[in-house]
């Protein structure tokens, strides 16, 4: 029970760190996030780059996706301008995984952690610099939380229950379901990917487990956009469907490739332990692959979404 309590507290610290970091960066950006989405999405490439950069800055693809859906509903963005932004948001959210990888050894340096906390507190007490204080304090809590999760995971991975969970997650469909549920509970794919990276330090996370879980995490992050689109908002609903189908189809393609690797007898590669960098690479490759596939198909993909969402209403109206 004490191990579970330690893990729960460590996860709470980690989640609060990411939330505080994102809030601080959003405040620092001011209203420029909305301005960027409105003014720099006139082409597919610019929309994609805007979604990528804005998401990397605010550390939340969910926030960018929700804002994009709201702008679509208000008519400021068309569906064809929205889709590249959503694709870019998926790529931008991988920045968190790379940040955690780059700073994986820094929490062990007491001086660095203390410096982050001290400077963060000082800036937070200055009203005009409070947002930067939130950024530094969020980074401190994020790194400290990841270290705490890693420490708490070491003894937990030796228990029979966790071992069975890891074994089940090694099956592609169960791994995807686990990733979906974890992201739905955390309401953030960045948090769930970060937790997976923290667990990888135990050496118990194989690539056969990490790949399906990452795929599921990308699907699970679509729920919040669907909640925003609820209530019969057709344009926001189209953005939500585009977000979901993009992730589901991309996950299906990657899952087929995973099964092909096993069918070709190369499954031993997937049994190797995944590390922090390997999980960041998986997350990035998946989202970049989806971008390469869907960006050139923006027009037909948007037409498909419109057909799926408008046609049923037209049929019912004709009756």
């Amino acid at each position: 029970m004490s191990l579970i309590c330690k893990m729960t507290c460590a996860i709470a610290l980690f989640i609060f760190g990411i939330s505080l970091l994102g809030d601080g960066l959003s405040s620092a950006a001011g209203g420029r996030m909305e301005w960027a989405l409105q003014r720099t999405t006139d082409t597919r490439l610019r929309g994609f780059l805007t979604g990528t950069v804005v998401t990397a800055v605010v550390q939340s693809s969910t926030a960018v996706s929700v804002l994009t859906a709201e702008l679509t509903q208000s008519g400021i963005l068309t569906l064809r301008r929205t889709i590249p932004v959503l694709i870019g948001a998926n790529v931008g959210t991988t920045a968190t995984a790379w940040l955690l990888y780059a700073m994986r050894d820094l929490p062990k340096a007491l001086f660095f952690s203390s410096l982050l906390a001290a400077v963060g507190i000082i800036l937070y007490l200055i009203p005009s610099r409070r947002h930067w204080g939130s950024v530094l304090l969020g980074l401190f809590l994020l790194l400290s939380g990841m270290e705490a999760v890693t420490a708490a995971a070491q003894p937990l991975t030796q228990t029979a229950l966790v071992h069975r969970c890891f074994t089940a997650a090694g099956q592609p469909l169960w791994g995807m379901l686990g990733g979906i549920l974890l992201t739905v509970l955390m309401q953030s794919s960045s948090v769930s990917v970060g937790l997976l990276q923290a667990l990888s330090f135990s050496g118990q996370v194989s690539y056969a487990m990490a790949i399906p879980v990452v795929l599921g995490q990308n699907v699970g992050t679509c729920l919040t956009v669907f909640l925003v689109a609820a209530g019969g908002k057709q344009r926001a609903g189209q953005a939500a469907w585009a977000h979901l189908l993009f992730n589901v189809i991309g996950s299906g393609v990657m899952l087929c490739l995973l099964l092909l690797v096993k069918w070709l007898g190369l499954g031993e590669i997937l049994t190797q332990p995944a590390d922090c960098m390997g999980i960041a690479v998986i997350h990035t490759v998946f989202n970049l692959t989806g971008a390469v596939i869907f960006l050139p198909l923006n027009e037909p993909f948007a037409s498909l979404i419109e057909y799926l969402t408008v046609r049923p209403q037209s049929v019912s109206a004709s009756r």
Side-chain angles (χ1 to χ4, degrees):
M1 183 61 70
S2 61
L3 292 177
I4 297 177
C5 290
K6 288 181 180 179
M7 176 61 80
T8 303
C9 292
I11 291 174
L13 187 66
F14 183 85
I15 294 173
F16 183 61
I18 282 189
S19 177
L20 192 60
L21 176 63
D23 290 344
L25 289 170
S26 297
S27 298
R32 288 186 289 274
M33 183 166 67
E34 292 86 346
W35 178 88
L37 291 175
Q38 292 178 40
R39 301 297 180 88
T40 60
T41 56
D42 52 333
T43 66
R44 285 178 295 180
L45 181 58
R46 292 184 67 181
F48 168 73
L49 292 176
T50 299
T52 302
V53 172
V54 171
T55 304
V57 168
V58 302
Q59 292 289 296
S60 175
S61 63
T62 300
V64 176
S65 299
V66 168
L67 177 59
T68 304
E70 291 175 345
L71 292 175
T72 305
Q73 173 58 30
S74 64
I76 295 175
L77 293 181
T78 64
L79 181 61
R80 283 160 178 75
R81 294 177 64 178
T82 296
I83 292 174
V85 176
L86 294 174
I87 295 174
N90 274 28
V91 175
T93 195
T94 63
T96 303
W98 286 107
L99 174 66
L100 292 173
Y101 166 71
M103 309 189 76
R104 65 196 183 282
D105 295 325
L106 292 178
K108 299 176 183 178
L110 179 61
F111 174 76
F112 179 79
S113 297
S114 302
L115 184 63
L116 274 179
V119 176
I121 290 174
I122 292 173
L123 291 177
Y124 190 82
L125 294 176
I126 303 174
S128 61
R129 296 290 181 268
R130 177 163 293 181
H131 47 274
W132 292 115
S134 297
V135 170
L136 293 182
L137 288 174
L139 187 58
F140 165 71
L141 293 174
L142 174 66
L143 298 175
S144 300
M146 187 173 185
E147 185 181 24
V149 170
T150 303
Q154 293 291 342
L156 273 179
T157 54
Q158 307 302 319
T159 63
L161 177 61
V162 174
H163 181 71
R164 285 197 294 269
C165 290
F166 281 159
T167 302
Q171 302 298 319
L173 293 179
W174 283 110
M176 280 193 67
L177 180 60
I180 291 172
L181 292 176
L182 181 62
T183 305
V184 168
L185 289 174
M186 300 298 177
Q187 285 292 290
S188 172
S189 60
S190 297
V191 172
S192 55
V193 170
L195 290 176
L196 185 62
Q197 286 179 298
L199 290 173
S200 70
F201 287 105
S202 67
Q204 301 295 316
V205 179
S206 66
Y207 283 102
M209 169 189 170
I211 294 174
V213 171
V214 169
L215 299 182
Q217 288 166 339
N218 279 272
V219 175
T221 194
C222 303
L223 176 66
T224 304
V225 184
F226 257 99
L227 293 176
V228 172
K233 300 177 181 178
Q234 180 177 307
R235 292 177 180 174
Q238 290 176 343
W241 274 109
H243 194 215
L244 178 63
L245 287 181
F246 165 75
N247 283 285
V248 169
I249 294 173
S251 297
V253 171
M254 295 297 291
L255 194 59
C256 290
L257 292 176
L258 180 64
L259 295 176
L260 179 61
V261 169
K262 291 185 176 182
W263 182 75
L264 292 175
L266 302 175
E268 291 185 3
I269 300 175
L270 300 174
T271 61
Q272 300 298 318
D275 57 11
C276 190
M277 179 180 178
I279 293 172
V281 169
I282 293 169
H283 196 205
T284 303
V285 167
F286 165 73
N287 287 295
L288 282 177
T289 301
V292 170
I293 294 173
F294 279 90
L295 274 179
L297 301 175
N298 184 51
E299 287 292 331
F301 185 52
S303 298
L304 174 64
I305 298 299
E306 290 172 345
Y307 175 80
L308 293 175
T309 55
V310 176
R311 183 173 178 270
Q313 296 180 5
S314 300
V315 172
S316 60
S318 63
R319 291 180 180 176

